[in-house]
Coordinates of all heavy atoms in Angstrom, one line a residue:
Chain A
L63 N 2.2 -6.1 2.8 CA 1.4 -6.1 1.6 C 0.0 -6.4 1.8 O -0.4 -7.1 2.8 CB 2.0 -7.4 0.7 CG 3.2 -7.1 -0.1 CD1 4.4 -6.9 0.8 CD2 3.5 -8.3 -0.9
Y64 N -0.9 -5.9 0.9 CA -2.3 -6.1 1.0 C -2.8 -6.7 -0.3 O -2.0 -6.8 -1.2 CB -3.0 -4.8 1.3 CG -2.7 -4.2 2.7 CD1 -1.5 -3.5 2.9 CD2 -3.4 -4.6 3.8 CE1 -1.2 -3.0 4.2 CE2 -3.1 -4.1 5.1 CZ -2.0 -3.4 5.3 OH -1.7 -3.0 6.5
P65 N -4.0 -7.2 -0.3 CA -4.5 -7.8 -1.6 C -4.4 -6.9 -2.8 O -4.3 -7.4 -3.9 CB -5.9 -8.1 -1.3 CG -6.1 -8.3 0.2 CD -5.1 -7.2 0.6
A66 N -4.1 -5.6 -2.7 CA -4.0 -4.7 -3.8 C -2.6 -4.8 -4.5 O -2.5 -4.1 -5.5 CB -4.3 -3.3 -3.4
V67 N -1.7 -5.7 -3.9 CA -0.5 -5.8 -4.7 C -0.7 -7.0 -5.6 O -1.3 -8.0 -5.3 CB 0.6 -6.1 -3.7 CG1 1.9 -6.6 -4.4 CG2 0.9 -5.1 -2.8
S68 N -0.2 -6.8 -6.9 CA -0.5 -7.7 -7.9 C 0.1 -9.1 -7.7 O 1.0 -9.4 -6.8 CB 0.2 -7.2 -9.2 OG -0.3 -6.0 -9.6
A69 N -0.4 -10.2 -8.4 CA 0.2 -11.5 -8.3 C 1.6 -11.3 -8.7 O 2.1 -10.6 -9.4 CB -0.6 -12.3 -9.3
N70 N 2.4 -12.3 -8.2 CA 4.0 -12.3 -8.3 C 4.5 -10.9 -7.9 O 5.1 -10.2 -8.7 CB 4.2 -12.6 -9.8 CG 3.6 -13.9 -10.4 OD1 3.4 -14.8 -9.5 ND2 3.2 -13.9 -11.5
P71 N 4.4 -10.6 -6.6 CA 4.8 -9.3 -6.2 C 6.2 -9.0 -6.5 O 7.1 -9.8 -6.3 CB 4.5 -9.4 -4.6 CG 4.3 -10.8 -4.3 CD 3.7 -11.5 -5.5
F72 N 6.4 -7.8 -7.0 CA 7.7 -7.3 -7.4 C 7.9 -6.0 -6.6 O 7.1 -5.2 -6.5 CB 7.6 -7.0 -8.9 CG 8.7 -6.1 -9.4 CD1 10.0 -6.7 -9.8 CD2 8.5 -4.7 -9.6 CE1 11.0 -5.8 -10.2 CE2 9.6 -4.0 -10.0 CZ 10.7 -4.4 -10.3
F73 N 9.3 -5.9 -6.2 CA 9.7 -4.6 -5.6 C 10.9 -4.2 -6.2 O 11.8 -5.0 -6.5 CB 9.7 -4.8 -4.0 CG 8.6 -5.2 -3.4 CD1 8.4 -6.5 -2.8 CD2 7.5 -4.3 -3.3 CE1 7.2 -6.7 -2.3 CE2 6.4 -4.5 -2.6 CZ 6.1 -5.8 -2.2
S74 N 11.2 -2.9 -6.2 CA 12.5 -2.4 -6.6 C 12.7 -1.3 -5.6 O 11.8 -0.5 -5.3 CB 12.4 -1.9 -8.1 OG 13.3 -0.7 -8.2
F75 N 14.0 -1.4 -4.9 CA 14.3 -0.4 -4.0 C 15.8 -0.2 -3.9 O 16.4 -0.8 -4.8 CB 13.8 -0.8 -2.6 CG 14.2 -2.3 -2.2 CD1 15.4 -2.5 -1.5 CD2 13.5 -3.2 -2.7 CE1 15.7 -3.8 -1.2 CE2 13.8 -4.6 -2.3 CZ 14.9 -4.9 -1.6
T76 N 16.3 0.7 -3.0 CA 17.7 0.9 -3.0 C 18.3 0.7 -1.7 O 17.6 0.7 -0.7 CB 18.0 2.4 -3.5 OG1 17.3 3.3 -2.6 CG2 17.5 2.6 -4.9
T77 N 19.6 0.5 -1.7 CA 20.4 0.5 -0.4 C 21.8 0.9 -0.6 O 22.2 0.9 -1.8 CB 20.3 -0.9 0.2 OG1 20.8 -0.8 1.6 CG2 21.2 -1.9 -0.5
V78 N 22.5 1.4 0.4 CA 23.9 1.8 0.4 C 24.7 0.6 0.6 O 24.5 -0.1 1.5 CB 24.1 2.8 1.4 CG1 25.6 3.3 1.4 CG2 23.1 4.0 1.3
A79 N 25.7 0.4 -0.4 CA 26.5 -0.7 -0.3 C 27.6 -0.4 0.8 O 28.2 0.5 0.9 CB 27.4 -0.9 -1.6
T80 N 27.5 -1.4 1.8 CA 28.4 -1.1 3.0 C 29.6 -2.1 3.1 O 30.7 -1.6 3.2 CB 27.6 -1.2 4.2 OG1 26.8 -2.5 4.3 CG2 26.6 -0.1 4.5

Side-chain angles (χ1 to χ4, degrees):
Chain A
L63 283 63
Y64 294 88
V67 174
S68 299
N70 308 327
F72 162 85
F73 299 107
S74 146
F75 52 94
T76 56
T77 192
V78 178
T80 51

